Amino acid sequence: MHSSLKNLILILLPVTAFLFSFAIGRYAVSIPQLMSTLYGHYFGGVMETNLETVVFNIRLPRIFAAMLVGAALSTAGAAYQGMFKNPLVSPDILGASAGAGFGACLAIYLSQSGLIIQISAFLFGLAAVFLAYLINVKLDYDPILGLVLGGILISTLFSSGTGVLKYFADANDKLPAITFWLMGSLSSVDKRDLLMVLIPMSIGFTSLFLVRWRLNVLAFGEEEARSLGINTKRLRLIVIISSTLVTAASVSICGMVGWIGLVIPHLARAIVGPNYSILMPVTFIIGATYLLLIDDVARCLGSVEVPLGILTSLIGVPFFIFIFKKNVRGWK
Amino acid sequence: MEVVLEVESVSYCYDQSRILHEISFMVEAGELVCVLGPNGCGKTTLLKNILGLLTPSSGFVRIDGKDVQKLSPKKLAQVMGYIPQAHNPPFPFKVFDVVLMGRTAHLSSLALPNKKDEEIAYESLAKLNITHLKDKIYTKLSGGERQLVLIARALAQQPKILIMDEPTISLDFGKQNVVLEHVRLLSQKGISILMVTHDPGHALFCADKVVTLKKGRLLKIGLPQDVISEDSMRDMYDTEVRIAKLKLPDERTICVCVPVPRASEICMSA
């Protein structure tokens, strides 16, 4: 495909998906209605209040959240795949998701408010990765293998913790709440949630974008990267902190959403190749669009919402096999 | 002559066993020095000490008079280029991007390579006559082509010295010679090179100076024809060799080293 055409599609794709997602849903909004509401909201004028509420308080936060989370998990996955020199890595490898999941379950178990659940999830996500990193430092083993090992240990620890909480949770109200939270959903996202994740997300995205050329070099391994002039220890730390910030923030607002961080970087690599200077922005765009569309399906499929985590896996698995078949080049 | 690389009584210990014993030698500007030795003699450990990847237990490695241990990875990479054995990265990078990565040490810390970096990367490909590989996928190249791309990447670093770790090790007979001839021509253009090899033939073919190692100790330093003798080869590799002079079409005379193991040695090793 011609590269300028490719660029055009990559820019139009999220914009189209964005407008389309406003229009669909249980409360149908046509595109002209949407345009006049948007215009009216910002430039004054007489409005149909129902429409404005739907657009600005329900749909807009949810659409932004879906795009942010999709972009976050995808870019974190892409960064980790480069850092671990392994195309099969996803953003939860160092325990960020397991930790955040445990944090949320703990808060639900202790009957805390939605705000506390979100904060607890975020902080436990950070703590889990910190512990995994600490194990790696204490082991003083091969940095990459040590990190993976630390991540596996910590993930297992926190998953068992979640299991314990589920076992003791009240089967009538808390257990369903925990289970539903873990399956992932964007149905309760509001403006406050968005504002809360904005800071960690912007820090994470900015630094991942700034180091993206260096990720190429890191993919050649520790010794080569160092001999090419990279302070590998510092770069790894930057990548881990940034990816953890965006991943933990994502999990804290929408629960566990799997497969995106693994599948989207591959899809992006199939389209623009493995060079991170281009791969990173494209992964961001495709990730944002993908989760937005999946969330559209989640809220329109039936009268009861399908959990997002289930949909991303259900759609992600065949999608992954398809990319794998079409694009073995992206692997070796 | 200006000294580019100075290895001064470097020892390295790992878990209480001493792997290197007070190794000292120098690489002067424009010189091609080969480090020769059998498996397990400490060649790779020595190399990692020189590259700053390991810290000597005692002694110093200096480049341009500066201690390698005290230079940042970035500063070190601006003067020292490393050419590892050809291998596969996990992603199918384009050859040009791989060579462009050689410019990393010259970029300000968060920048992307610019037009000038691209020009330098292209020149590096041109120096090795492999500009036709520019848009190919690195992981799909043959071993010999990959090795040349890695040399081009190191050239894009514009270093004072190239450090090579057995650059011909997994290549077939023909490709070994292509790579070796490129190494020889580069050194003639004035780049200092330190090459680790296990093949005395390669050292005889292109080295200005040979350093031989055995069990972590330095045996000899000197001209290839002086250092590589029937006696020293027996000492290092426990094998009999014959060495003969050979005149090449370009009027150079080089020595060749042919192994002639005795029947008793074969029984011993088998």
Side-chain angles (χ1 to χ4, degrees), chain B:
Chain B
M1 266 302 215
E2 184 201 350
V3 176
V4 177
L5 180 76
E6 189 186 3
V7 177
E8 190 194 311
S9 52
V10 165
S11 298
Y12 184 79
C13 303
Y14 183 78
D15 273 355
Q16 289 163 31
S17 64
R18 219 155 195 226
I19 296 167
L20 295 176
H21 300 260
E22 312 227 328
I23 310 279
S24 297
F25 65 91
M26 283 187 252
V27 181
E28 290 172 7
E31 216 175 21
L32 197 169
V33 177
C34 274
V35 176
L36 185 66
N39 288 343
C41 71
K43 288 179 302 219
T44 308
T45 310
L46 175 63
L47 205 72
K48 288 188 175 178
N49 276 281
I50 292 174
L51 289 165
L53 299 172
L54 293 176
T55 310
S57 310
S58 67
F60 298 97
V61 178
R62 293 196 193 89
I63 181 147
D64 266 350
K66 286 179 215 108
D67 188 347
V68 161
Q69 292 297 326
K70 291 189 179 130
L71 289 174
S72 68
K74 183 174 169 167
K75 283 266 183 297
L76 186 58
Q78 288 172 357
V79 283
M80 191 188 272
Y82 170 51
I83 297 160
Q85 292 164 14
H87 57 80
N88 258 340
F91 304 112
F93 290 110
K94 255 171 53 181
V95 164
F96 191 69
D97 289 334
V98 173
V99 177
L100 204 50
M101 288 181 209
R103 297 301 299 159
T104 306
H106 295 273
L107 302 176
S108 69
S109 57
L110 299 169
L112 301 179
N114 60 24
K115 272 269 172 306
K116 192 169 161 270
D117 296 310
E118 285 177 11
E119 276 164 27
I120 293 168
Y122 190 82
E123 280 164 23
S124 309
L125 285 167
K127 273 183 197 151
L128 298 167
N129 299 324
I130 50 168
T131 47
H132 59 282
L133 298 179
K134 187 164 89 75
D135 295 317
K136 293 253 167 66
I137 303 295
Y138 175 77
T139 43
K140 284 188 175 172
L141 300 181
S142 72
E145 288 170 329
R146 276 210 293 269
Q147 195 66 60
L148 290 179
V149 172
L150 291 182
I151 296 177
R153 186 182 69 181
L155 288 179
Q157 273 174 262
Q158 299 181 316
K160 288 204 159 178
I161 184 165
L162 292 176
I163 313 282
M164 303 190 183
D165 184 12
E166 311 207 28
T168 58
I169 195 157
S170 54
L171 307 182
D172 71 33
F173 182 70
K175 298 284 164 28
Q176 288 193 4
N177 301 320
V178 171
V179 170
L180 222 52
E181 181 65 5
H182 273 298
V183 171
R184 193 178 73 84
L185 293 174
L186 280 175
S187 124
Q188 286 194 339
K189 284 179 192 160
I191 301 178
S192 312
I193 296 175
L194 178 74
M195 182 167 87
V196 166
T197 177
H198 64 280
D199 189 334
H202 293 171
L204 287 168
F205 176 75
C206 61
D208 295 316
K209 194 159 86 183
V210 174
V211 174
T212 53
L213 292 181
K214 189 188 180 185
K215 290 183 180 155
R217 289 173 200 279
L218 192 144
L219 292 179
K220 276 185 176 176
I221 307 177
L223 296 172
Q225 56 269 36
D226 297 342
V227 171
I228 301 171
S229 65
E230 291 170 9
D231 288 338
S232 69
M233 289 299 105
R234 189 182 308 118
D235 186 20
M236 267 165 63
Y237 294 101
D238 293 322
T239 190
E240 288 296 321
V241 301
R242 291 288 171 274
I243 291 174
K245 283 206 163 96
L246 191 67
K247 198 155 189 185
L248 299 183
D250 64 356
E251 297 301 307
R252 278 189 301 148
T253 305
I254 61 162
C255 292
V256 286
C257 174
V258 181
V260 280
R262 283 182 309 230
S264 61
E265 286 170 6
I266 307 227
C267 292
M268 264 167 57
S269 56

Side-chain angles (χ1 to χ4, degrees), chain A residues 214 219 223-224 226 274 329 331, chain B residues 48 52 82 87 90 92 109 153:
Chain A
R214 272 134 210 280
E223 291 182 357
E224 268 184 79
R226 266 172 74 176
R329 186 193 97 153
W331 292 61
Chain B
K48 288 188 175 178
Y82 170 51
H87 57 80
S109 57
R153 186 182 69 181

Side-chain angles (χ1 to χ4, degrees), chain A residues 37-75:
Chain A
T37 315
L38 286 176
Y39 182 84
H41 184 80
Y42 290 109
F43 303 102
V46 188
M47 291 315 312
E48 192 186 335
T49 44
N50 260 352
L51 196 63
E52 205 176 342
T53 313
V54 168
V55 168
F56 287 98
N57 291 345
I58 299 170
R59 248 164 236 177
L60 191 66
R62 185 160 182 170
I63 286 172
F64 272 134
M67 293 184 100
L68 269 179
V69 170
L73 296 174
S74 308
T75 42

